[in-house]
Amino acid sequence: MQNVGIRVYKVVDKPLVLHLLRLNTPTYFAPEEEKDLLHYLAHEVEEYYVLECDGEVVGCGGVNYDQNRTIGKISWDILHPEHQGKGLGSLLLLYRIKNLREQPQIKQITVRTSQLVYLFYEKHGFQLRQITRDYWSPGFDLYHMEYEGAL
């Protein structure tokens, strides 16, 4: 049995988060996205979490807000390839959805992802609203999705 926990991201976690991104590039992220993640971690983090499994950081993901904090935006989900398909990504996503649902001002939850993982979000109640081809990089489309579960 693994000891799994979610905690708030700390600046000292940055090399671990970058390592997770690199392990998922180019399978799920374009190489060009590393600079976007670095900018996000330095300037755009509002709520960011790391997922630990037996003391090792194996995943991360955040929440940002829009429209006077009435929209919660799921952001920068990354999971170590060896830990994918084991329910850990779902655990991290559901943790953030639960936190957002507990905030009465939240009217909508969204995620911007790619064609490579949108089915993961669809499985958890998100519906596809818009596709923008080659948004992130050639071959990496933007899939804008909205959560359809009860708020």
Side-chain angles (χ1 to χ4, degrees):
M1 181 78 172
Q2 295 179 323
N3 184 15
V4 176
I6 297 170
R7 65 169 173 79
V8 172
Y9 166 85
K10 302 176 212 164
V11 175
V12 296
D13 296 320
K14 184 168 105 175
L16 303 170
V17 169
L18 287 175
H19 178 68
L20 292 174
L21 178 75
R22 290 172 185 151
L23 289 174
N24 283 282
T25 303
T27 306
Y28 296 110
F29 293 95
E32 300 87 342
E33 290 182 88
E34 185 169 325
K35 67 178 173 16
D36 296 334
L37 178 59
L38 285 168
H39 178 82
Y40 175 84
L41 292 174
H43 304 289
E44 297 177 4
V45 167
E46 292 184 72
E47 294 175 16
Y48 204 64
Y49 303 95
V50 294
L51 175 74
E52 292 182 324
C53 194
D54 293 331
E56 176 188 357
V57 173
V58 299
C60 50
V63 171
N64 288 79
Y65 295 92
D66 205 0
Q67 304 292 332
N68 293 320
R69 295 184 69 91
T70 62
I71 298 175
K73 301 186 306 184
I74 301 296
S75 56
W76 283 107
D77 285 331
I78 311 170
L79 195 64
H80 192 294
E82 293 176 5
H83 294 273
Q84 293 171 6
K86 299 178 180 178
L88 296 173
S90 296
L91 180 72
L92 183 58
L93 177 62
L94 294 172
Y95 175 85
R96 289 172 290 154
I97 289 172
K98 178 183 178 293
N99 287 349
L100 288 167
R101 291 176 69 187
E102 290 173 352
Q103 300 177 48
Q105 80 279 7
I106 295 294
K107 306 297 181 218
Q108 184 180 52
I109 302 172
T110 66
V111 66
R112 296 184 327 156
T113 189
S114 75
Q115 76 275 19
L116 304 169
V117 292
Y118 85 97
L119 291 174
F120 167 77
Y121 294 100
E122 192 173 79
K123 177 176 81 170
H124 291 290
F126 287 83
Q127 295 297 313
L128 181 61
R129 295 292 183 238
Q130 182 180 356
I131 298 172
T132 305
R133 300 280 178 219
D134 298 325
Y135 179 86
W136 308 108
S137 183
F140 289 83
D141 303 337
L142 166 66
Y143 276 49
H144 178 81
M145 304 180 78
E146 293 178 7
Y147 183 66
E148 294 296 319
L151 295 178

